[in-house]
């Protein structure tokens, strides 16, 4: 019993040291603008790049499909931590050696670039799934009215697809919040970096607990929001899309449809 | 062969999905203001033929001329040709994120670049024509199947096409909603619209059709006036099919 008490006391001293919590908390709050910048820019660029990649992946042009496929596979396989190191140190070394000094990036820009490139790969998959979930009759109806492929995508398919991918994108945003902490390895003065610094100064890991607390507090509302959006979508999809009718069978006789590849993505007409 | 009033001409059209040949040599001419009714068992290729007419499906052999323009020619801008051809689908395919009025307005606005006010007036007039003016601001999921299909017809008409294709447009409807859609189509036919109609509605075919085509296994088996074909089918296969649907 006494040893258990000793253990608890030690835990409290090293991880929940009240004195250090009080010192650390305001320090960490001051890093929030940097975390916010990482988030906003990375989200924006990964969204745009992801959308472009998904459209390339569904393109008629084989070169586009190949490039987008290779990009997505590579960045989904590459650990984000290594991406940070390559973009920051790797480019800097090349930049210094070749005289192309613009390659020597400030750490925060390198961090945004790393997060954006990796998250674009995830977003591309989400967008692709969203676009493919739109019944192909939508694309056909638009094309039959004389609209081009681009117009049909822009005005008919994408508005519906983006609505569908909002919940999964919210989940990605949550993951992104946590992954901004990896920017600490390239010395971006964000939340985890500052917590680790403080940990060194006070020779006590309590600042890590404070950091953990801040991450959790900020993500919980978003987790709730994502769950709500998902539920709302499920309800909506039951009565919401009667205009689809039955899928491929409506367009192509069943015996023929059975021999076609599954998944009614929009036809590259 | 081709005269000035030939709207659609198919010459030896072949279409396959992989090894499966769905159309095996179709020859057909449709002249202005004709209402051609296409019947045949499921899988006979009638819907596929219709979809080939506005290049929703590519063909492997043969030629399709729309008002004399070869749509199988890679130099042809299919989008321009599709503006002349209205198409209505079995599954309606209304845009669910747009209201009835917006569904109708989208293509004239974006493709023909007509000004917003003008398009709105055209769209509204068309809704009046199909009897749905009070539903202008409804979204598709607030409309019945018959209403959705009437909006879909109005949407196709908004591009002021020279001809209309109907792909089993009443097959997905509850029986009591079929008549309202057929009535709109009847009005169109009486107005002189050139129409190709894939349907099982024999009453409509008899009353409105100017020519009837029976397809089976990817070929046109028999062709005559609807009343004639329904009363005296020449071919055995036609007899058998009509015996089942009538």
């Amino acid at each position: 019993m006494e040893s258990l008490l000793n253990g608890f006391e030690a835990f409290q001293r090293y991880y929940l040291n009240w004195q250090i919590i009080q010192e650390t908390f305001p320090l960490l709050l001051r890093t929030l603008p940097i975390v916010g910048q990482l988030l906003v820019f990375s989200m924006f660029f990964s969204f745009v790049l992801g959308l472009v990649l998904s459209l390339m992946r569904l393109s008629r042009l084989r070169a586009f499909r190949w490039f987008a496929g290779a990009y997505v596979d590579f960045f989904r396989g590459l650990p984000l931590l290594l991406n940070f190191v390559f973009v920051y140190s790797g480019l800097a070394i090349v930049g210094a050696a070749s005289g192309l000094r613009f390659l020597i990036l400030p750490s925060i820009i390198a961090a945004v670039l790393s997060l954006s490139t990796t998250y674009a790969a995830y977003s591309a998959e989400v967008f692709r799934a969203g676009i493919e979930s739109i019944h192909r009759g939508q694309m056909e109806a638009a094309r039959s009215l004389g609209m081009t492929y681009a117009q049909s995508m822009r005005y008919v398919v994408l508005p519906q697809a983006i609505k569908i991918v909002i919940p999964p994108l919210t989940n990605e945003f949550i993951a992104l919040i946590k992954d901004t902490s990896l920017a600490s390895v390239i010395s971006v003065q964000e939340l985890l970096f500052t917590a680790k610094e403080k940990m060194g100064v006070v020779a006590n890991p309590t600042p890590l607990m404070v950091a953990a607390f801040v991450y959790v507090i900020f993500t919980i509302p978003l987790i709730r929001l994502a769950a709500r959006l998902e539920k709302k979508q499920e309800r909506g999809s039951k009565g919401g899309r009667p205009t689809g009718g039955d899928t491929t069978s409506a367009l192509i006789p069943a015996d023929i449809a059975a021999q076609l590849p599954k998944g009614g993505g929009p036809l590259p007409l | 062969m081709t005269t000035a009033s030939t709207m659609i001409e198919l010459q030896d059209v072949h279409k396959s999905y992989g090894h499966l040949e769905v159309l095996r040599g179709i020859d057909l001419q449709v002249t202005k203001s004709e209402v051609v009714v296409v019947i045949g068992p499921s899988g006979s290729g009638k819907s596929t033929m219709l979809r080939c007419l506005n290049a929703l499906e590519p063909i492997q052999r043969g030629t399709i001329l729309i008002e004399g323009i070869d749509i199988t020619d890679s130099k042809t801008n299919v989008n321009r040709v599709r503006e002349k051809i209205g198409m209505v689908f079995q599954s309606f395919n209304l845009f669910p994120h747009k209201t009835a009025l917006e569904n109708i307005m989208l293509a004239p606005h974006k493709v023909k670049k007509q000004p917003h006010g003008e398009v709105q007036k055209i769209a509204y007039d068309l809704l009046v024509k199909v009897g749905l003016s009070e539903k202008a601001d409804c979204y598709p999921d607030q409309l019945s199947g018959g209403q959705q299909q009437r909006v879909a017809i109005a949407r196709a008409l908004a591009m002021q096409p020279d001809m209309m294709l109907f792909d089993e447009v009443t097959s997905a409807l509850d029986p009591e909603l079929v008549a309202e859609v057929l009535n709109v189509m009847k009005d169109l036919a009486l107005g002189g619209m050139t129409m190709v109609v894939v349907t099982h509605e024999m009453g409509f075919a008899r009353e409105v059709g100017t020519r009837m085509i029976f397809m089976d296994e990817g070929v046109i088996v028999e062709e005559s006036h609807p009343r004639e074909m329904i009363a005296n089918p020449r071919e055995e296969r036609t007899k058998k099919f009509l015996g089942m649907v009538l």
Side-chain angles (χ1 to χ4, degrees):
Chain A
M1 194 62 206
E2 199 182 332
S3 62
L4 203 69
L5 264 174
N6 284 341
F8 182 73
E9 200 192 340
F11 178 81
Q12 199 185 19
R13 181 150 25 100
Y14 285 110
Y15 285 93
L16 294 171
N17 188 316
W18 183 241
Q19 173 79 35
I20 299 175
I21 290 176
Q22 280 175 309
E23 286 170 26
T24 312
F25 198 65
L27 272 182
L28 295 192
L29 286 187
R30 248 172 273 156
T31 66
L32 288 182
I34 293 194
V35 177
Q37 279 174 37
L38 287 175
L39 275 175
V40 168
F41 287 110
S42 305
M43 193 67 197
F44 175 77
F45 289 123
S46 67
F47 183 94
V48 173
L49 186 56
L51 186 57
V52 170
L53 284 166
S54 68
L55 291 173
M56 287 174 82
R57 211 157 183 198
L58 295 167
S59 160
R60 226 180 339 181
L61 298 175
R62 185 174 305 186
F64 277 6
R65 285 202 308 267
W66 184 89
F67 173 81
Y71 180 99
V72 168
D73 289 350
F74 178 77
F75 278 100
R76 284 177 79 191
L78 179 72
L80 185 54
L81 190 63
L82 289 180
N83 192 348
F84 272 110
V85 174
F86 291 151
V87 170
Y88 185 56
S89 314
L91 288 183
I93 288 168
V94 175
S98 64
L100 300 169
R101 299 201 60 84
F102 66 91
L103 289 177
I104 305 173
L105 299 172
S107 59
I108 187 153
I109 292 182
V112 167
L113 194 58
S114 306
L115 287 167
S116 306
T117 46
T118 293
Y119 271 81
Y122 301 143
S123 304
E125 287 297 89
V126 170
F127 279 124
R128 183 172 67 117
I131 292 170
E132 282 180 338
S133 75
I134 303 303
H135 187 266
R136 58 190 265 175
Q138 291 289 308
M139 175 59 92
E140 290 182 344
R143 295 309 303 275
S144 76
L145 289 164
M147 291 165 77
T148 63
Y149 179 82
Q151 286 174 326
S152 310
M153 264 294 167
R154 163 89 174 74
Y155 299 112
V156 175
V157 177
L158 282 183
Q160 299 179 56
I162 285 177
K163 210 168 137 200
I164 286 176
V165 300
I166 285 174
L169 281 184
T170 310
N171 283 321
E172 255 189 49
F173 189 67
I174 293 163
L176 183 63
I177 291 179
K178 293 181 289 178
D179 278 344
T180 55
S181 64
L182 289 175
S184 62
V185 299
I186 57 169
S187 317
V188 176
Q189 309 245 332
E190 48 69 67
L191 204 141
L192 184 60
F193 183 86
T194 308
K196 275 181 3 195
E197 240 181 11
K198 181 68 182 171
M199 179 174 79
V201 172
V202 296
N204 183 300
T206 297
L208 295 185
M209 294 297 276
V210 182
F213 176 76
V214 175
Y215 281 117
V216 170
I217 288 299
F218 272 91
T219 43
I220 282 177
L222 279 168
I223 292 170
R224 286 285 162 77
L225 176 70
R228 265 235 304 272
L229 290 173
E230 261 164 43
K231 241 198 211 121
K232 200 171 144 196
Q233 201 128 84
E234 272 163 36
R235 273 203 307 271
S237 67
K238 268 177 203 151
R241 304 179 56 207
T243 185
D246 191 17
T247 57
T248 12
S249 61
L251 307 161
I252 300 173
D255 49 340
I256 296 167
Q259 302 183 33
L260 295 174
K262 281 280 172 264
L267 287 178
L269 293 167
Chain B
M1 275 280 281
T2 310
T3 61
S5 60
T6 302
M7 305 296 276
I8 302 170
E9 184 166 1
L10 285 79
Q11 297 163 351
D12 191 35
V13 169
H14 289 254
K15 158 88 197 162
S16 18
Y17 294 107
H19 293 296
L20 190 71
E21 204 173 20
V22 191
L23 298 181
R24 302 185 300 157
I26 302 279
D27 291 279
L28 178 69
Q29 271 198 32
V30 180
T31 50
K32 200 164 167 36
S33 298
E34 261 195 299
V35 178
V36 177
V37 180
V38 185
I39 60 168
S42 138
S44 60
K46 51 195 195 304
S47 284
T48 305
M49 180 188 73
L50 207 64
R51 293 163 55 76
C52 288
L53 290 181
N54 66 354
L56 280 180
E57 302 280 352
I59 61 170
Q60 275 73 40
R61 212 172 95 196
T63 311
I64 299 174
L65 301 173
I66 301 294
E67 297 181 7
I69 300 166
D70 183 356
I71 62 163
T72 54
D73 186 340
S74 61
K75 289 194 285 287
T76 303
N77 182 348
V78 231
N79 297 321
R80 292 286 85 78
V81 180
R82 283 182 181 139
E83 288 178 37
K84 300 177 205 276
I85 312 171
M87 181 150 186
V88 187
F89 301 87
Q90 178 178 2
S91 49
F92 326 143
N93 297 342
L94 288 185
F95 308 135
H97 60 302
K98 295 193 176 292
T99 64
L101 198 69
E102 289 165 350
N103 261 277
I104 302 172
M105 289 170 62
L106 183 66
H109 189 49
K110 300 298 175 192
V111 179
K112 291 194 165 173
K113 314 281 184 206
Q114 289 169 317
H116 188 270
E118 196 178 305
V119 175
Q120 199 163 23
K121 188 178 180 321
I122 295 172
Y124 192 76
D125 288 347
L126 282 166
L127 275 178
V128 172
K129 188 171 172 177
V130 298
L132 288 171
S133 50
E134 78 284 7
K135 300 285 184 187
D137 296 323
C138 290
Y139 284 89
D141 61 4
Q142 297 167 310
L143 300 174
S144 74
Q147 291 169 336
Q148 287 190 55
Q149 197 60 296
R150 284 187 280 157
V151 173
I153 293 173
R155 179 176 69 176
L157 290 174
M159 289 299 286
Q160 288 158 321
D162 298 337
M163 61 200 91
M164 292 279 288
L165 310 176
F166 294 87
D167 187 7
E168 301 201 31
V169 295
T170 55
S171 304
L173 296 178
D174 292 332
E176 74 271 20
L177 304 177
V178 169
E180 59 187 76
V181 174
L182 291 180
N183 283 336
V184 170
M185 292 166 65
K186 217 177 287 176
D187 286 345
L188 265 182
L190 291 176
M193 177 63 81
T194 310
M195 293 163 56
V196 181
V197 187
V198 171
T199 187
H200 296 296
E201 296 294 333
M202 291 302 159
F204 174 84
R206 201 179 343 219
E207 195 180 339
V208 184
T210 57
R211 184 152 49 118
M212 186 176 251
I213 283 170
F214 173 68
M215 281 180 73
D216 195 16
E217 295 180 354
V219 295
I220 292 176
V221 177
E222 186 171 342
E223 188 177 336
S224 60
H225 192 277
R227 266 183 278 257
E228 169 68 19
M229 190 185 295
I230 292 167
N232 307 303
R234 289 189 300 270
E235 303 285 335
E236 207 46 50
R237 277 190 281 179
T238 319
K239 251 178 236 171
K240 211 171 136 202
F241 175 77
L242 286 172
M244 280 185 298
V245 296
L246 286 175

